[in-house]
Amino acid sequence: MMAVMVRQQQFLVDTRSYAATVTATGVPVPSAVDASYTVALPAPGTNPPGFTLTLTPKSRQATDACGALVLTHTGARTAATANCW
């Protein structure tokens, strides 16, 4: 997640906009993460520009009580369930 965050900031410096997908950042999602989570980087839609990186549990992780993990451009981390981390 941190690699995507760093690359997203560099993408902004290079192109004056954020990448709309994880693939566009050039950071590959590790196979172990891909097996357990759907990684999404929705198109930026805030003003001033910002982004969120969302990891949604799948397969065995789908029953995790915390649900999806969201990391924002400010470094804020949240979960679908309060007080998970």
Side-chain angles (χ1 to χ4, degrees):
M1 289 180 62
M2 295 310 294
V4 172
M5 297 285 292
V6 169
R7 183 61 191 123
Q8 190 66 310
Q9 294 299 343
Q10 186 62 49
F11 196 93
L12 176 64
V13 170
D14 294 345
T15 66
R16 301 180 64 78
S17 66
Y18 285 119
T21 65
V22 174
T23 304
T25 67
V27 176
V29 176
S31 59
V33 173
D34 190 47
S36 299
Y37 296 92
T38 300
V39 181
L41 189 60
T46 59
N47 190 13
F51 66 89
T52 59
L53 176 63
T54 305
L55 278 80
T56 305
K58 63 182 181 181
S59 65
R60 295 180 307 185
Q61 299 299 112
T63 59
D64 183 64
C66 291
L69 170 63
V70 178
L71 187 61
T72 70
H73 66 283
T74 64
R77 290 173 271 172
T78 60
T81 304
N83 301 318
C84 277
W85 300 288

